[in-house]
Amino acid sequence: MFANYLIGLREGLEASLVVCILIAYLVKTGNRDRLVPVWAGVGVAVALSLAFGAALQFGSSTLTFQAQEALGGTLSIVAVGLVTWMVFWMRRTARHLARELHGKLDAALALGTGALVVTSFLAVGREGLETSLFIWTAVQASGDGVRPLVGALLGLATAVALGWLFYQGTLRINLSKFFRWTGAMLVVVAAGVLAYGVHDLQEADFLPGLGDRAFDISATVPPESWYGTLLKGVFNFQPDPTVLQLAVWLLYLVPAMVLFLAPERRRPAAAAVAGTTAATGSTTATGPTTATGPTTATGSTTATGSTTADRG
């Protein structure tokens, strides 16, 4: 349940922030009359996300067991790919999200009402589709269709409340740190979903090694126990994974976590600007400088050879 709460909170907060930024910018620029198209785009995006989730749930129920496992495994892998891309993208652009959206909104205002609807729809729809897919795969992995949905809805409700507080200006947190640590937790969750997707594909006979167990600690961590249920609900933990599941879990989690938590490299352009700024007003001499009279400097002086100042 916690994992799904985290998914709903993380994805919902991204969508809420996007909506808040769009609305605040329109209000501040005197374009209140353009709010209706923005809300229309948001509404269409939410409806599409719900329809997508319903199609996954009810469409898969009519399939054979093998087809269900194949579909579940494939979509689990797709969901992990989307979530991984999302957390790395947000880690890189969280500080500049408002500026990026303002630019898109200016272009949409110039094009007209339809462009505003499309802009808000694309901004929110991507988050909604990712949320529906990831929650559906998490529900399939847990085998419990109630608690994961409750957790996700609570997360979304929390995200909407936080978005409203952001808009009102009463809540300020470091978004870069927030998305960094929630992203790290989602990487762990995604690793479990990926391992479960591999298990589904093994059960569908798409991948080999279903009977090759890496270990079995079911006696120590019974799946029906409260702590077994907690581990499964949060991390998609399985007490008897196959060798392939364990290998895929490690091959995804370790490099993804290392890359995600690694310090961001400074961009070359930013480093060049910083170097130029640091050099402003400095004097560097690589050769002897001889002054034979008073000299008045109005800026920085760089000498690459001997320099003689004549008397003025």
Side-chain angles (χ1 to χ4, degrees):
M1 182 172 176
F2 174 75
N4 292 279
Y5 175 83
L6 180 63
I7 295 168
L9 174 63
R10 167 73 187 234
E11 298 283 348
L13 186 57
E14 286 185 34
S16 296
L17 288 176
V18 167
V19 174
C20 289
I21 291 170
L22 293 177
I23 292 175
Y25 188 68
L26 288 176
V27 171
K28 288 182 180 180
T29 55
N31 290 286
R32 286 180 176 271
D33 56 320
R34 302 296 187 91
L35 290 177
V36 173
V38 170
W39 281 115
V42 171
V44 174
V46 171
L48 179 63
S49 301
L50 293 174
F52 180 62
L56 287 175
Q57 180 62 33
F58 295 111
S60 62
S61 63
T62 62
L63 301 175
T64 64
F65 173 78
Q66 186 175 17
Q68 286 182 3
E69 297 300 297
L71 177 63
T74 302
L75 291 181
S76 294
I77 295 173
V78 171
V80 170
L82 289 174
V83 169
T84 304
W85 174 83
M86 177 268 297
V87 296
F88 277 93
W89 176 82
M90 183 54 71
R91 173 179 178 266
R92 186 177 65 255
T93 61
R95 297 170 184 166
H96 315 293
L97 181 63
R99 184 166 66 247
E100 180 180 329
L101 288 172
H102 289 170
K104 292 181 179 178
L105 199 54
D106 284 335
L109 284 169
L111 292 175
T113 301
L116 285 174
V117 175
V118 172
T119 299
S120 58
F121 169 77
L122 292 177
V124 178
R126 187 197 66 191
E127 309 296 342
L129 293 176
E130 287 179 359
T131 303
S132 295
L133 179 57
F134 205 68
I135 289 176
W136 182 81
T137 56
V139 168
Q140 301 305 307
S142 67
D144 185 347
V146 177
R147 283 183 294 181
L149 290 177
V150 172
L153 290 174
L154 289 175
L156 290 171
T158 304
V160 171
L162 290 175
W164 172 253
L165 292 175
F166 273 118
Y167 179 76
Q168 295 297 320
T170 58
L171 180 62
R172 299 185 183 278
I173 63 174
N174 189 318
L175 289 178
S176 295
K177 289 184 177 179
F178 174 83
F179 285 122
R180 183 178 180 84
W181 294 113
T182 56
M185 288 186 282
L186 273 184
V187 168
V188 177
V189 173
V193 172
L194 181 60
Y196 188 84
V198 169
H199 178 73
D200 277 354
L201 292 177
Q202 287 179 310
E203 289 194 327
D205 293 329
F206 276 48
L207 293 175
L210 182 60
D212 300 330
R213 299 295 173 185
F215 55 81
D216 189 349
I217 56 173
S218 300
T220 306
V221 187
E224 66 276 3
S225 64
W226 68 267
Y227 47 92
T229 303
L230 180 64
L231 289 172
K232 184 175 180 62
V234 176
F235 303 111
N236 286 303
F237 172 78
Q238 185 177 339
D240 56 344
T242 65
V243 173
L244 184 58
Q245 277 184 275
L246 181 61
V248 168
W249 185 82
L250 289 172
L251 288 172
Y252 170 83
L253 179 64
V254 175
M257 189 64 75
V258 169
L259 290 173
F260 185 79
L261 295 180
E264 292 186 67
R265 294 182 179 180
R266 297 177 64 186
R267 295 180 179 179
V273 171
T276 303
T277 304
T280 303
S282 64
T283 303
T284 304
T286 59
T289 303
T290 305
T292 60
T295 303
T296 302
T298 59
S300 61
T301 304
T302 303
T304 59
S306 61
T307 304
T308 303
D310 295 331
R311 294 180 183 274

